[in-house]
Amino acid sequence: MELRTPKGTRDLLPPATKVWAEVESIAREVFELYGYREIRTPIIEDAALFERGVGEGTDLVGKEMFSFPDKAGRRLTLRPESTASVCRAYVQHQLHLKPHPLKFYYMGPQFRYERPQKGRYRQFHQIGVELFGGAGGASYYHADVEVISLLVRFLQKFGLTGLEVKLNSVGDRESREGYRAALVDYFQKWQGTLSDDSKRRVLQNPLRILDSKHPDDAPAISGAPEITDYLNSLSRSHFDAVLNLLTDLGIPFRVEPRLVRGLDYYTHTVFEVVSHGLGSQDAICGGGAYANLIKQLGGPSVYGVGFAIGEDRLVELFSEESKRRLEGIGPLIVAPQAQNSKYGSAYEMDDAIALCEKIRAMGVPADWTMGRPEKVFKFAEYLNSRFVIFVSPDWGRTQVVSVRDMESKSLTTTPISHAIELWRSLHLIKREGRDD
Ligand code: AMP
């Protein structure tokens, strides 16, 4: 039997892994600019965490979790998202006792048992943040705005076009109860035409119908009540404050009155970033505030807000050019200049390895190979290397080597120090270019 990756999972090979690593390193840089620090939680959690936190009526918990008993019969789940885990950690470690606001970021794999398609995997990767606010109503909307501005600043690093921030408020619990009741009333009148999934949701989770992409549901959804008409004054003023501050800061967004997001824990501000460059799976980020989740998980009443970016989808948006920029440049390749045979002898390899070590000691990546020049050039191409250094046995005395520029195909004799400088300046150009 041929062994392959499990359904919905993928291997990431170089040079794609380098692009991913760069995305993650830029995320760390930007998040730390805003005072966020990394949190790492386990990939497995108690199944009850998601049932209680995310909600049993959601698709995520009802249909999509990878859950299994361990050998002692504990019910475990491969995490389908990380907000619940970060909140569990907050409660478990009594982080409410620390000075606030408290800001965390995370990155790593998530698991959902969904039907795989382009942009949708069973193991996918999220980069996210969570901000826990202190007491005082005034700070809550600042927290929402900060998280959104952080998100926009991060995404700007990749020079993407066609991205849009969609924003809405799902209000507090009281507002949502009123809205829910209105939706149940409304959708009951459409029972006959709704898709089977949505029919089931009318009583159970009518907000979720608004997320449906099923064509049968479109006519009902297009006339459905909007939550903005059901916000109580507290929720309304919170939302207005968010909109005003975002506008003052010049952060572009669009209010999308039917954006509700699928998870039960959201309150107040919810948002998504969609890309017009992706197909049906067009959301690259989802987020929102949650005023009750920490309490629901056994902690005090603490306001939280966060987002999760789908790293797989983000990378799918990159142009070939920006991927190449993120890949960076390959190492200097050192090969023996064949003296006695066409291919270079083992003895001549000693020189190549010694020179490699010298270059590496100066903090410049170097790699070695041997063989006919065409084979050496293939190796250099595969590693995305611009320069090949051919070294002869007297390099220690002369400090001079032959350098082949893979782009111009020229071969020049030059001091070793110059070859190293060539690599360094090219590396700098690539790094500077990445903020475009
Ligand atoms: P959610 O909180 O479910 O909206 O997820 C946040 C982001 O994670 C989405 O906007 C997607 O970019 C990404 N995402 C969610 N599910 C998947 C999946 N099955 N495959 C790939 N990316 C996903």
Side-chain angles (χ1 to χ4, degrees), residues 179-246:
Y179 183 50
R180 214 189 118 92
L183 283 180
V184 170
D185 252 11
Y186 173 83
F187 283 124
Q188 272 177 334
K189 297 190 195 109
W190 286 85
Q191 269 288 8
T193 67
L194 291 175
S195 67
D196 289 345
D197 268 349
S198 293
K199 276 190 186 120
R200 274 191 296 104
R201 290 181 182 131
V202 172
L203 292 174
Q204 202 190 10
N205 197 350
L207 268 78
R208 188 80 179 115
I209 300 177
L210 301 174
D211 272 346
S212 165
K213 301 246 159 53
H214 199 290
D216 289 353
D217 297 329
I221 293 171
S222 70
E226 295 181 359
I227 188 152
T228 22
D229 296 329
Y230 294 83
L231 296 179
N232 58 18
S233 64
L234 187 119
S235 301
R236 184 71 245 177
S237 63
H238 180 124
F239 192 40
D240 285 341
V242 169
L243 301 182
N244 289 336
L245 190 50
L246 282 174

Side-chain angles (χ1 to χ4, degrees), residues 219-340:
I221 293 171
S222 70
E226 295 181 359
I227 188 152
T228 22
D229 296 329
Y230 294 83
L231 296 179
N232 58 18
S233 64
L234 187 119
S235 301
R236 184 71 245 177
S237 63
H238 180 124
F239 192 40
D240 285 341
V242 169
L243 301 182
N244 289 336
L245 190 50
L246 282 174
T247 308
D248 288 350
L249 293 175
I251 296 170
F253 61 87
R254 185 158 65 88
V255 175
E256 174 89 18
R258 296 206 178 87
L259 176 70
V260 290
R261 314 248 323 121
L263 316 183
D264 284 355
Y265 54 63
Y266 287 114
T267 55
H268 297 292
T269 312
V270 290
F271 53 92
E272 267 181 13
V273 175
V274 295
S275 160
H276 302 301
L278 290 169
S280 62
Q281 303 301 312
D282 65 350
I284 63 163
C285 177
Y290 41 89
N292 310 315
L293 181 55
I294 294 282
K295 192 157 186 204
Q296 231 169 291
L297 296 177
S301 181
V302 175
Y303 185 87
V305 53
F307 64 71
I309 297 169
E311 195 175 1
D312 307 71
R313 290 188 199 168
L314 177 64
V315 169
E316 275 161 29
L317 282 178
F318 294 164
S319 65
E320 287 307 313
E321 190 195 333
S322 67
K323 268 192 266 189
R324 266 198 305 279
R325 194 165 51 227
L326 292 166
E327 277 163 24
I329 56 168
L332 285 173
I333 304 298
V334 181
Q337 185 148 29
Q339 301 288 320
N340 304 318

Side-chain angles (χ1 to χ4, degrees), residues 1 26 131 144 169 189 424:
M1 186 185 76
I26 293 169
L131 184 161
D144 298 1
S169 169
K189 297 190 195 109
R424 284 209 174 111

